[in-house]
């Protein structure tokens, strides 16, 4: 079914904080709208509103035709313990809800309830449209095509991170909604998964709205970009795709800077002129009244009038200033000031694996021979489920080898973003969490530290658990900066950071002098961050490849 989603003058907030207002958005069949903005700007909130999960504070959302289906596929870090793969796919594709509605309509029809025939017809059509009739067969075929080796009756909680990511992609590829709303669909996908997702989105005949921090995915897939600017309370729409958005955004920012500079310079000049005119007028009148040069009343009045005319020029200049169209100063982008290599240098050998082997059920990593030296900058690549996380845990001493040896070098101070993120959680205020974790810093220093990572007054007084995933990641980076580390481990760091933070993290890593281990499927980050070694992991085999 062809469907169009239209939002008009939409506004939403979080408590007393306004997220966005005056938002207009039209999503027609074939449109792929990329939704971008800083962490906490309201991207996920907007997707929820478009899906009908809540009411906006102002504005309207209309679907044409009203019977069309809207599917929201958010990230789900927590897996439901009562779901197997089949049940998960049925829920995520909307078929499970449609089946329940159809079952209820069928029971009503059997009781001959009033209106049950119309209810049944609508429920049956929706169930068919969402692909309920052949979902089981399609699931098996698509799972085989994806190379998903887990049984379809396997519990979701039993899957590895890579397997869960594949199942999430499976559900997306099987979905048949009339409008798709995708929240970070690229998270945790390997390069093959990203390629499949891109081909799926590029060939969509329905409208889609996508929140993603994967710049290459946005470049290849979106046709329009909507930017939510939380700091300036602006919503801007850019046509022509992601690259056009980047260009047009820079042009607009340049024009905004030039307009403000022109306004600021004109106002300063007029203000200076007004002050000089006022000083001349006041001094002239006062001097003439106190020290007249002669007793000729006509000459004295002439000079007084002349100085009073000067005062009228002051009023004219004031009016010029008042008539100036005020131009707001463009927001200055925050800069990630990360100097994370503050810890003392470790020994020359950071970590060593000697014929190390780890067994996990039917999966085996190794044997691995590897030496990590101080100053190495290592990219760890490979498909999901290949053993990358197991390798990292082995290197860091988090997992003991079942065979062989693993050792961490002397004076190694490990910094892991994921581990630090786990500390920034719970009901306590962010500022209280940070003060507890950094007892050597004063409250003022803690706030200054958080501000360097874009976490300001409206963040520090919120519960840590209420922060967006990206905001929690920024707080984790702040923790690592303050504590210091000489072995920095970044495991898919771009999954939760917003686009400005990703670019600034890449810039900050350029000056990091310690040992770096980067696990990422972000193609642009892998190009931007300088590495000295590349490790490829596949099916438990670790191979060093040329940089």
């Amino acid at each position: 079914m062809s469907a169009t989603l239209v939002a008009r003058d939409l506004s939403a907030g979080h408590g007393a904080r306004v997220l966005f207002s005056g938002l207009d958005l039209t999503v027609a069949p074939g449109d792929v709208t990329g939704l971008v903005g800083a962490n906490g700007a309201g991207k996920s909130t907007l997707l929820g509103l478009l899906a009908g999960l809540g009411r906006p504070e102002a504005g309207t959302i209309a679907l044409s035709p009203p019977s069309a289906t809207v599917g929201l596929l958010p990230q789900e870090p927590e897996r439901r313990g009562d779901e197997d793969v089949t049940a998960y796919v049925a829920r995520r594709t909307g078929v499970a809800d449609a089946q329940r509605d159809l079952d209820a309509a069928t029971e009503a029809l059997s009781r001959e309830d009033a209106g049950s025939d119309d209810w049944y017809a609508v429920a049956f059509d929706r169930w068919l449209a969402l692909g309920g009739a052949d979902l089981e067969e399609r699931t098996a075929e698509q799972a085989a095509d994806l190379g998903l080796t887990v049984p379809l009756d396997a519990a979701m909680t039993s899957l590895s991170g890579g397997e869960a990511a594949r199942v999430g992609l499976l559900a997306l590829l099987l979905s048949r909604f009339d409008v798709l709303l995708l929240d970070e669909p690229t998270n945790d996908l390997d390069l093959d998964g990203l390629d499949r997702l891109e081909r799926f989105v590029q060939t969509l005949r329905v409208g889609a709205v996508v929140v993603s921090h994967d710049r290459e995915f946005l470049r290849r897939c979106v046709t329009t970009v909507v930017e939510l600017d939380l700091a300036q309370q602006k919503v801007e729409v850019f046509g022509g795709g992601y690259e056009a958005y980047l260009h047009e955004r820079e042009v607009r920012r340049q024009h905004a800077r030039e307009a403000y500079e022109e306004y600021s310079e004109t106002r300063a000049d007029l203000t200076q002129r007004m002050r000089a005119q006022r000083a001349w007028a006041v001094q002239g009148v006062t001097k003439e009244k106190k020290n007249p040069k002669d007793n000729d009343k006509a000459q004295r009045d002439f000079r007084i009038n002349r100085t009073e005319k000067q005062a009228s020029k002051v009023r004219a200049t004031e009016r010029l200033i008042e008539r100036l169209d005020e131009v707001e100063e463009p927001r200055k982008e925050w800069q990630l000031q990360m100097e994370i290599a503050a810890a003392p240098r470790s020994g020359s050998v950071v970590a060593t694996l000697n014929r190390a082997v780890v067994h996990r059920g039917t999966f085996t990593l190794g044997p691995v021979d590897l030496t990590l030296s101080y100053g190495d900058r290592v990219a760890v690549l490979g498909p999901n489920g290949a053993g990358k996380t197991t390798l990292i845990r082995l290197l860091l001493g988090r997992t003991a080898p079942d065979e062989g040896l693993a050792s961490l070098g002397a004076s190694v101070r490990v910094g892991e973003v994921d581990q630090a993120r786990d500390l920034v959680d719970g009901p306590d205020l962010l500022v209280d969490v940070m003060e507890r974790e950094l007892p050597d810093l004063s409250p003022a220093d803690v706030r200054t530290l958080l501000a360097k990572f874009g976490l300001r007054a409206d963040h520090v007084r919120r519960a840590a658990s209420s922060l967006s995933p990206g905001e929690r990641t920024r707080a984790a980076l702040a923790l690592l900066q303050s504590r210091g580390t000489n072995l920095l481990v970044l495991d898919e760091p771009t999954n939760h950071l917003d686009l400005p933070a990703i670019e600034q993290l890449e810039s900050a890593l350029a000056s990091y002098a310690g040992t770096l281990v980067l696990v990422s499927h972000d193609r642009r980050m892998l190009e931007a961050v300088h590495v000295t070694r590349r490790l490829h992991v596949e099916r438990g085999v670790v191979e060093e490849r040329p940089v």
Side-chain angles (χ1 to χ4, degrees):
M1 178 190 300
S2 294
T4 300
L5 184 67
V6 180
R8 287 285 177 266
D9 200 25
L10 217 58
S11 298
H14 186 280
R17 188 168 58 116
V18 177
L19 292 175
F20 53 81
S21 59
L23 187 149
D24 292 327
L25 176 64
T26 298
V27 185
D31 290 347
V32 180
T33 299
L35 195 57
V36 302
N39 293 132
K43 301 185 293 294
S44 295
T45 298
L46 176 56
L47 287 187
L49 293 176
L50 296 178
L53 305 179
R55 296 177 61 84
E57 295 181 357
T60 61
I61 300 172
L63 191 61
S64 178
S67 60
T69 57
V70 178
L72 171 62
L73 281 82
Q75 282 290 302
E76 292 187 339
E78 300 296 331
R79 302 175 208 166
R80 300 185 181 183
D82 60 344
E83 278 187 338
D84 60 15
V85 173
T86 299
Y88 171 86
V89 169
R91 176 173 62 84
R92 295 279 281 185
T93 57
V95 170
D97 278 343
Q99 183 67 60
R100 282 189 288 270
D101 191 38
L102 180 59
D103 291 343
T106 302
E107 290 183 13
L109 189 64
S110 67
R111 295 191 303 266
E112 298 183 353
D113 292 351
S116 60
D117 50 349
D118 291 336
W119 179 13
Y120 178 84
V122 171
F124 184 69
D125 287 345
R126 181 169 179 264
W127 179 76
L128 283 178
L130 290 172
D134 61 349
L135 180 63
E136 187 175 338
E137 293 83 358
R138 289 188 296 117
T139 300
E141 292 174 3
Q142 189 65 256
D145 184 56
L146 282 173
L148 189 66
T149 57
V150 299
L152 296 181
D153 60 356
M156 288 297 295
T157 52
S158 70
L159 306 186
S160 69
E163 290 168 340
R166 283 273 158 170
V167 173
L169 178 60
L170 170 67
L172 173 57
L173 298 179
L174 291 170
S175 64
R176 291 183 174 177
F177 295 107
D178 299 314
V179 178
L180 265 176
L181 309 175
L182 307 178
D183 197 354
E184 298 291 358
T186 63
N187 277 5
D188 301 316
L189 290 180
D190 56 23
L191 296 178
D192 178 66
L194 288 170
D195 181 62
R196 291 174 183 269
L197 173 64
E198 286 169 356
R199 282 188 275 122
F200 171 76
V201 174
Q202 288 166 352
T203 56
L204 278 175
R205 295 184 178 180
V206 302
V209 180
V210 182
V211 173
S212 178
H213 298 139
D214 187 312
R215 294 157 291 178
E216 190 63 19
F217 170 77
L218 291 171
R219 184 187 72 81
R220 296 185 185 194
C221 295
V222 303
T223 57
T224 304
V225 174
V226 175
E227 182 183 60
L228 302 183
D229 189 333
L230 179 62
Q232 298 194 115
Q233 292 296 303
K234 288 183 179 179
V235 178
E236 295 192 86
V237 180
F238 300 81
Y242 185 67
E243 293 294 342
Y245 152 71
L246 293 178
H247 174 73
E248 179 63 22
R249 182 186 65 176
E250 186 54 38
V251 169
R252 292 189 189 186
R253 287 180 177 177
Q254 180 64 30
H255 288 170
R257 286 191 292 268
E258 291 172 353
Y260 177 75
E261 289 170 1
E262 181 180 354
Y263 161 77
S264 182
E265 185 177 341
T266 301
R267 185 181 179 87
D269 289 345
L270 289 173
T271 301
Q272 184 177 4
R273 183 202 303 176
M274 179 188 67
R275 288 172 179 167
Q277 290 169 335
R278 182 178 290 131
W280 295 337
V282 170
Q283 291 172 6
V285 171
T286 302
K287 182 178 180 181
E288 186 61 36
K289 288 181 177 179
K290 287 185 176 180
N291 302 299
K293 294 180 180 179
D294 55 49
N295 293 322
D296 188 331
K297 184 176 181 298
Q299 287 295 322
R300 188 167 62 252
D301 289 344
F302 170 75
R303 287 190 290 271
I304 291 174
N305 288 338
R306 185 175 60 187
T307 54
E308 289 178 343
K309 286 180 181 179
Q310 189 68 45
S312 70
K313 292 182 179 180
V314 173
R315 291 191 291 274
T317 304
E318 286 177 338
R319 287 193 293 271
L320 286 175
I321 294 175
E322 291 171 358
R323 287 198 294 268
L324 280 177
D325 290 331
E326 185 174 356
V327 179
E328 292 185 9
E329 183 176 6
R331 175 172 59 94
K332 295 179 180 178
E333 300 293 333
W334 70 276
Q335 294 296 317
L336 182 59
Q337 300 176 33
M338 185 167 68
E339 298 174 357
I340 233 166
R345 175 192 165 112
S346 69
S348 296
V349 177
V350 174
T352 301
L353 301 179
N354 185 8
R355 304 300 292 171
V357 177
V358 176
H359 300 293
R360 289 289 180 268
T362 59
F363 174 79
T364 298
L365 173 72
V368 183
D369 289 300
L370 179 64
T371 298
L372 198 62
S373 301
Y374 182 79
D376 279 349
R377 300 171 65 88
V378 184
V380 181
L381 312 174
N384 287 335
K388 299 189 298 297
T389 299
T390 303
L391 174 64
I392 297 301
R393 292 181 61 83
L394 191 60
L395 278 168
L396 301 182
R398 309 271 193 259
T399 295
D402 296 308
E403 302 172 29
L405 299 173
S407 61
L408 202 59
S411 304
V412 173
R413 188 177 296 179
V414 178
E416 288 183 90
V417 172
D418 284 349
Q419 195 174 58
R421 282 183 78 249
D422 291 340
L423 298 174
V424 187
D425 204 355
D428 293 342
L429 300 182
L430 173 61
V431 65
D432 293 337
V433 173
M434 296 295 287
E435 288 178 9
R436 183 172 64 245
E437 295 297 330
L438 302 171
D440 294 336
L441 294 186
S442 69
D445 288 339
V446 167
R447 290 172 180 266
T448 299
L449 173 66
L450 289 171
K452 291 179 180 179
F453 288 79
L455 299 169
R456 304 189 185 278
D458 60 332
H459 297 100
V460 299
R461 303 302 302 174
R462 287 166 53 192
S465 59
S466 73
L467 299 174
S468 72
E471 289 165 342
R472 288 177 58 210
T473 299
R474 289 187 185 184
L477 288 168
L479 269 179
L480 293 184
Q481 171 171 318
S482 183
R483 289 176 171 176
T485 175
N486 48 38
L487 171 56
L488 178 61
V489 180
L490 300 176
D491 192 349
E492 298 293 353
T494 62
N495 273 358
H496 300 298
L497 289 176
D498 55 38
L499 294 173
I502 290 171
E503 293 167 356
Q504 291 155 17
L505 175 60
E506 291 170 350
S507 177
L509 289 177
S511 60
Y512 175 67
T515 306
L516 172 67
V517 177
L518 172 64
V519 182
S520 180
H521 294 123
D522 187 311
R523 291 153 291 188
R524 291 208 176 184
M525 170 165 267
L526 291 172
E527 292 176 0
V529 175
H530 169 67
V531 297
T532 59
R533 302 174 67 182
R534 286 181 182 265
L535 300 179
H536 185 83
V537 186
E538 189 160 3
R539 296 180 182 178
V541 177
V542 181
E543 176 186 12
E544 183 145 6
R545 294 184 176 178
V547 177

